[in-house]
Amino acid sequence: MLDAGLHLLADQNLASLGVREVTREAGLSPAAFYRHFPDLAALGVALVEESLASLHVMIRAVLAEAGDAEELIDRAVDVIERHVREHRGHVRFLARERHGGVRQVREAIDAELGRFAAEVGAALALQPVSRGWSEQDLRMLAELYVDHMVSTAAAFLEALETDPARGRRIAVTARLQLRLISLGREHWQAG
Amino acid sequence: MLDAGLHLLADQNLASLGVREVTREAGLSPAAFYRHFPDLAALGVALVEESLASLHVMIRAVLAEAGDAEELIDRAVDVIERHVREHRGHVRFLARERHGGVRQVREAIDAELGRFAAEVGAALALQPVSRGWSEQDLRMLAELYVDHMVSTAAAFLEALETDPARGRRIAVTARLQLRLISLGREHWQAG
DNA sequence: AAGTTCAGCAAACGAATGTTTACTGAATGG
DNA sequence: CCATTCAGTAAACATTCGTTTGCTGAACTT
């Protein structure tokens, strides 16, 4: 039933989804829905958890890698691109509902994204480049990275669904932007 | 009628909006809707134009200012914050429908955002810091700025609607991030 | 083996929906 | 001053919707 919902949300958003629509797609009777969820919002929250779980393993994969800055950037962008391709539905759902019409879902996404930022910040603190950085500075950098990742993923998705050839340009742009941010890090409080 | 739609879209998204709902809010009969728009998607596109017009004057205001990097950053963040406060509905609409369920609207927003990036890029080219930058580098920087502006605006909005006191922290974070990007610019191809 | 939970069904309810049709004044322009 | 456009109306159409109710069979527990 989650799969049915996700499939329908490819061309719709959660607020416009219907109970009957979901059950029809899942091949069940309308009443069957209420055996599993009280609301459609509840189904949305369940989808958030599913989607963010896959995203979480992706982030950990990026953070776990080692190498110089240039290598890290290349791998990060590759991982994002691959993740979008392999979990297209999840990514689309997150992008669509992050600012969507259902408060519960919005808050669930934002809370989890905040936790991701905290995790990224902790990882950044371990890198030698971050010596002497305040807690606040680390946090703002982590948020910048997370926001950039989200933007990039959304751009990959849009490219995938309209003109797949444009994915290349997005990857190039994302790498350049990360390089620029990397440069800013190196000269922070030193320029 | 546009106002009625925008008002309803505060707690909903375009795909779940109904013709009758809009006309009811506007105090008109259902049939009156079709005198002005063929679709709800058409109403959405009209709202996109309205929303982006106000955003456009904001961007031009930021670009027209002069001063050192620090002053520019402070004013840019202030202008964004004020714009969100004064055009809350428009900003919410753009954030919500940028990845929403109506293709026409999505494409209209992305196209216009692309034009903004081009404009920002042209303005960046005039700054002394950008001497020797390639066209591609300017474009990626402009897109980074636009994306950052969008993220910041969305964050301001969410703060405004939940915990207004958090707006402060968002402003501080945004300024720090812009300073870091600024540092990256100064050392581009020179580090 | 008996009882209980579980996941499903069909049917029914009123309510709301999108859209079309024919009609009505008011403004506008030649 | 007459014709035409314009923005609006009420009424009606078949559809679709969310949700509740009572029922059924399978699976699990003890």
mmCIF file of all heavy atoms in Angstrom, chain A residues 119-146:
data_model
loop_
_atom_site.group_PDB
_atom_site.id
_atom_site.type_symbol
_atom_site.label_atom_id
_atom_site.label_comp_id
_atom_site.label_asym_id
_atom_site.label_seq_id
_atom_site.Cartn_x
_atom_site.Cartn_y
_atom_site.Cartn_z
ATOM 1 N N GLU A 119 24.571 15.406 12.092
ATOM 2 C CA GLU A 119 25.499 14.306 11.821
ATOM 3 C C GLU A 119 26.643 14.762 10.914
ATOM 4 O O GLU A 119 27.815 14.448 11.139
ATOM 5 C CB GLU A 119 24.718 13.166 11.156
ATOM 6 C CG GLU A 119 25.459 11.862 11.103
ATOM 7 C CD GLU A 119 24.508 10.725 10.748
ATOM 8 O OE1 GLU A 119 23.279 10.894 10.932
ATOM 9 O OE2 GLU A 119 24.987 9.688 10.274
ATOM 10 N N VAL A 120 26.269 15.524 9.891
ATOM 11 C CA VAL A 120 27.293 16.056 8.997
ATOM 12 C C VAL A 120 28.247 16.963 9.780
ATOM 13 O O VAL A 120 29.470 16.898 9.613
ATOM 14 C CB VAL A 120 26.635 16.830 7.834
ATOM 15 C CG1 VAL A 120 27.684 17.579 7.025
ATOM 16 C CG2 VAL A 120 25.875 15.868 6.934
ATOM 17 N N GLY A 121 27.668 17.809 10.651
ATOM 18 C CA GLY A 121 28.513 18.690 11.451
ATOM 19 C C GLY A 121 29.508 17.918 12.298
ATOM 20 O O GLY A 121 30.681 18.297 12.390
ATOM 21 N N ALA A 122 29.057 16.838 12.889
ATOM 22 C CA ALA A 122 29.956 16.026 13.711
ATOM 23 C C ALA A 122 31.087 15.455 12.872
ATOM 24 O O ALA A 122 32.254 15.410 13.306
ATOM 25 C CB ALA A 122 29.168 14.905 14.379
ATOM 26 N N ALA A 123 30.759 15.045 11.664
ATOM 27 C CA ALA A 123 31.793 14.503 10.789
ATOM 28 C C ALA A 123 32.776 15.593 10.361
ATOM 29 O O ALA A 123 33.983 15.358 10.279
ATOM 30 C CB ALA A 123 31.149 13.851 9.571
ATOM 31 N N LEU A 124 32.244 16.760 10.090
ATOM 32 C CA LEU A 124 33.117 17.866 9.671
ATOM 33 C C LEU A 124 34.103 18.233 10.774
ATOM 34 O O LEU A 124 35.260 18.587 10.499
ATOM 35 C CB LEU A 124 32.278 19.094 9.307
ATOM 36 C CG LEU A 124 31.402 18.990 8.055
ATOM 37 C CD1 LEU A 124 30.589 20.264 7.880
ATOM 38 C CD2 LEU A 124 32.258 18.721 6.833
ATOM 39 N N ALA A 125 33.624 18.127 12.015
ATOM 40 C CA ALA A 125 34.478 18.523 13.135
ATOM 41 C C ALA A 125 35.744 17.676 13.198
ATOM 42 O O ALA A 125 36.775 18.115 13.703
ATOM 43 C CB ALA A 125 33.699 18.412 14.442
ATOM 44 N N LEU A 126 35.673 16.468 12.672
ATOM 45 C CA LEU A 126 36.821 15.557 12.747
ATOM 46 C C LEU A 126 37.873 15.856 11.683
ATOM 47 O O LEU A 126 38.998 15.376 11.782
ATOM 48 C CB LEU A 126 36.333 14.111 12.589
ATOM 49 C CG LEU A 126 35.307 13.651 13.638
ATOM 50 C CD1 LEU A 126 34.880 12.218 13.376
ATOM 51 C CD2 LEU A 126 35.884 13.806 15.040
ATOM 52 N N GLN A 127 37.487 16.634 10.679
ATOM 53 C CA GLN A 127 38.454 16.905 9.613
ATOM 54 C C GLN A 127 39.455 17.977 10.056
ATOM 55 O O GLN A 127 39.095 18.921 10.752
ATOM 56 C CB GLN A 127 37.708 17.367 8.354
ATOM 57 C CG GLN A 127 36.719 16.327 7.839
ATOM 58 C CD GLN A 127 35.993 16.795 6.589
ATOM 59 O OE1 GLN A 127 35.947 17.981 6.293
ATOM 60 N NE2 GLN A 127 35.422 15.850 5.855
ATOM 61 N N PRO A 128 40.691 17.834 9.636
ATOM 62 C CA PRO A 128 41.740 18.777 10.051
ATOM 63 C C PRO A 128 41.429 20.215 9.641
ATOM 64 O O PRO A 128 41.803 21.164 10.339
ATOM 65 C CB PRO A 128 42.984 18.277 9.294
ATOM 66 C CG PRO A 128 42.670 16.882 8.874
ATOM 67 C CD PRO A 128 41.196 16.786 8.732
ATOM 68 N N VAL A 129 40.718 20.366 8.499
ATOM 69 C CA VAL A 129 40.414 21.718 8.013
ATOM 70 C C VAL A 129 39.598 22.504 9.024
ATOM 71 O O VAL A 129 39.596 23.732 8.990
ATOM 72 C CB VAL A 129 39.624 21.614 6.683
ATOM 73 C CG1 VAL A 129 39.817 22.874 5.871
ATOM 74 C CG2 VAL A 129 40.017 20.383 5.908
ATOM 75 N N SER A 130 38.906 21.790 9.893
ATOM 76 C CA SER A 130 37.963 22.466 10.783
ATOM 77 C C SER A 130 38.592 22.826 12.132
ATOM 78 O O SER A 130 37.872 23.161 13.068
ATOM 79 C CB SER A 130 36.746 21.573 11.009
ATOM 80 O OG SER A 130 36.239 21.095 9.787
ATOM 81 N N ARG A 131 39.896 22.784 12.229
ATOM 82 C CA ARG A 131 40.523 23.123 13.502
ATOM 83 C C ARG A 131 40.185 24.570 13.870
ATOM 84 O O ARG A 131 40.321 25.486 13.052
ATOM 85 C CB ARG A 131 42.036 22.941 13.408
ATOM 86 C CG ARG A 131 42.737 23.116 14.747
ATOM 87 C CD ARG A 131 44.222 23.380 14.573
ATOM 88 N NE ARG A 131 44.862 22.394 13.675
ATOM 89 C CZ ARG A 131 45.269 21.179 14.082
ATOM 90 N NH1 ARG A 131 45.095 20.812 15.332
ATOM 91 N NH2 ARG A 131 45.838 20.360 13.227
ATOM 92 N N GLY A 132 39.744 24.735 15.099
ATOM 93 C CA GLY A 132 39.463 26.082 15.584
ATOM 94 C C GLY A 132 38.084 26.609 15.233
ATOM 95 O O GLY A 132 37.764 27.746 15.568
ATOM 96 N N TRP A 133 37.272 25.801 14.564
ATOM 97 C CA TRP A 133 35.925 26.264 14.203
ATOM 98 C C TRP A 133 34.999 26.203 15.421
ATOM 99 O O TRP A 133 35.029 25.229 16.170
ATOM 100 C CB TRP A 133 35.350 25.394 13.083
ATOM 101 C CG TRP A 133 35.893 25.721 11.728
ATOM 102 C CD1 TRP A 133 37.206 25.811 11.369
ATOM 103 C CD2 TRP A 133 35.137 26.017 10.550
ATOM 104 N NE1 TRP A 133 37.314 26.134 10.057
ATOM 105 C CE2 TRP A 133 36.057 26.264 9.512
ATOM 106 C CE3 TRP A 133 33.780 26.093 10.265
ATOM 107 C CZ2 TRP A 133 35.653 26.586 8.209
ATOM 108 C CZ3 TRP A 133 33.382 26.401 8.974
ATOM 109 C CH2 TRP A 133 34.309 26.653 7.964
ATOM 110 N N SER A 134 34.176 27.213 15.542
ATOM 111 C CA SER A 134 33.197 27.202 16.626
ATOM 112 C C SER A 134 32.069 26.232 16.291
ATOM 113 O O SER A 134 31.886 25.825 15.133
ATOM 114 C CB SER A 134 32.614 28.605 16.824
ATOM 115 O OG SER A 134 31.734 28.903 15.762
ATOM 116 N N GLU A 135 31.321 25.911 17.317
ATOM 117 C CA GLU A 135 30.180 25.019 17.104
ATOM 118 C C GLU A 135 29.201 25.618 16.093
ATOM 119 O O GLU A 135 28.685 24.931 15.201
ATOM 120 C CB GLU A 135 29.472 24.801 18.451
ATOM 121 C CG GLU A 135 28.651 23.534 18.525
ATOM 122 C CD GLU A 135 29.485 22.294 18.231
ATOM 123 O OE1 GLU A 135 30.559 22.095 18.853
ATOM 124 O OE2 GLU A 135 29.073 21.528 17.353
ATOM 125 N N GLN A 136 28.972 26.898 16.233
ATOM 126 C CA GLN A 136 28.035 27.581 15.333
ATOM 127 C C GLN A 136 28.512 27.540 13.883
ATOM 128 O O GLN A 136 27.725 27.291 12.969
ATOM 129 C CB GLN A 136 27.878 29.042 15.780
ATOM 130 C CG GLN A 136 26.789 29.783 15.024
ATOM 131 C CD GLN A 136 26.821 31.285 15.315
ATOM 132 O OE1 GLN A 136 27.884 31.876 15.503
ATOM 133 N NE2 GLN A 136 25.651 31.889 15.344
ATOM 134 N N ASP A 137 29.799 27.774 13.693
ATOM 135 C CA ASP A 137 30.323 27.763 12.333
ATOM 136 C C ASP A 137 30.195 26.374 11.711
ATOM 137 O O ASP A 137 29.846 26.230 10.537
ATOM 138 C CB ASP A 137 31.796 28.195 12.339
ATOM 139 C CG ASP A 137 31.942 29.680 12.634
ATOM 140 O OD1 ASP A 137 30.905 30.379 12.646
ATOM 141 O OD2 ASP A 137 33.072 30.136 12.862
ATOM 142 N N LEU A 138 30.477 25.367 12.508
ATOM 143 C CA LEU A 138 30.348 24.010 11.985
ATOM 144 C C LEU A 138 28.899 23.725 11.576
ATOM 145 O O LEU A 138 28.633 23.108 10.547
ATOM 146 C CB LEU A 138 30.789 22.996 13.049
ATOM 147 C CG LEU A 138 32.299 22.824 13.188
ATOM 148 C CD1 LEU A 138 32.616 21.964 14.403
ATOM 149 C CD2 LEU A 138 32.881 22.189 11.934
ATOM 150 N N ARG A 139 27.996 24.197 12.411
ATOM 151 C CA ARG A 139 26.590 23.942 12.128
ATOM 152 C C ARG A 139 26.152 24.635 10.836
ATOM 153 O O ARG A 139 25.457 24.052 10.014
ATOM 154 C CB ARG A 139 25.749 24.448 13.312
ATOM 155 C CG ARG A 139 24.256 24.338 13.118
ATOM 156 C CD ARG A 139 23.784 22.907 13.211
ATOM 157 N NE ARG A 139 22.384 22.784 12.816
ATOM 158 C CZ ARG A 139 21.630 21.722 13.053
ATOM 159 N NH1 ARG A 139 22.153 20.684 13.674
ATOM 160 N NH2 ARG A 139 20.386 21.680 12.666
ATOM 161 N N MET A 140 26.563 25.874 10.657
ATOM 162 C CA MET A 140 26.134 26.593 9.456
ATOM 163 C C MET A 140 26.747 25.952 8.206
ATOM 164 O O MET A 140 26.103 25.859 7.172
ATOM 165 C CB MET A 140 26.471 28.089 9.552
ATOM 166 C CG MET A 140 27.904 28.449 9.283
ATOM 167 S SD MET A 140 28.272 28.743 7.531
ATOM 168 C CE MET A 140 30.048 29.014 7.627
ATOM 169 N N LEU A 141 27.960 25.458 8.323
ATOM 170 C CA LEU A 141 28.565 24.782 7.177
ATOM 171 C C LEU A 141 27.819 23.486 6.867
ATOM 172 O O LEU A 141 27.534 23.175 5.702
ATOM 173 C CB LEU A 141 30.041 24.486 7.449
ATOM 174 C CG LEU A 141 30.775 23.771 6.317
ATOM 175 C CD1 LEU A 141 30.779 24.613 5.053
ATOM 176 C CD2 LEU A 141 32.204 23.421 6.717
ATOM 177 N N ALA A 142 27.491 22.759 7.916
ATOM 178 C CA ALA A 142 26.762 21.506 7.709
ATOM 179 C C ALA A 142 25.422 21.778 7.038
ATOM 180 O O ALA A 142 25.016 21.071 6.104
ATOM 181 C CB ALA A 142 26.551 20.802 9.048
ATOM 182 N N GLU A 143 24.752 22.828 7.476
ATOM 183 C CA GLU A 143 23.460 23.153 6.864
ATOM 184 C C GLU A 143 23.639 23.568 5.410
ATOM 185 O O GLU A 143 22.819 23.239 4.554
ATOM 186 C CB GLU A 143 22.766 24.264 7.663
ATOM 187 C CG GLU A 143 22.221 23.772 8.995
ATOM 188 C CD GLU A 143 21.548 24.892 9.799
ATOM 189 O OE1 GLU A 143 21.318 25.983 9.241
ATOM 190 O OE2 GLU A 143 21.257 24.661 10.997
ATOM 191 N N LEU A 144 24.710 24.272 5.156
ATOM 192 C CA LEU A 144 24.972 24.658 3.765
ATOM 193 C C LEU A 144 25.148 23.420 2.894
ATOM 194 O O LEU A 144 24.611 23.334 1.786
ATOM 195 C CB LEU A 144 26.220 25.544 3.705
ATOM 196 C CG LEU A 144 26.601 26.083 2.318
ATOM 197 C CD1 LEU A 144 25.496 26.945 1.739
ATOM 198 C CD2 LEU A 144 27.914 26.876 2.394
ATOM 199 N N TYR A 145 25.900 22.440 3.422
ATOM 200 C CA TYR A 145 26.101 21.213 2.664
ATOM 201 C C TYR A 145 24.781 20.461 2.454
ATOM 202 O O TYR A 145 24.492 19.982 1.358
ATOM 203 C CB TYR A 145 27.105 20.300 3.380
ATOM 204 C CG TYR A 145 28.551 20.624 3.081
ATOM 205 C CD1 TYR A 145 29.512 20.649 4.087
ATOM 206 C CD2 TYR A 145 28.974 20.883 1.781
ATOM 207 C CE1 TYR A 145 30.837 20.948 3.814
ATOM 208 C CE2 TYR A 145 30.305 21.177 1.500
ATOM 209 C CZ TYR A 145 31.226 21.205 2.513
ATOM 210 O OH TYR A 145 32.543 21.496 2.244
ATOM 211 N N VAL A 146 23.999 20.360 3.499
ATOM 212 C CA VAL A 146 22.743 19.618 3.385
ATOM 213 C C VAL A 146 21.802 20.306 2.390
ATOM 214 O O VAL A 146 21.213 19.668 1.520
ATOM 215 C CB VAL A 146 22.064 19.459 4.760
ATOM 216 C CG1 VAL A 146 20.651 18.922 4.610
ATOM 217 C CG2 VAL A 146 22.886 18.529 5.644
#
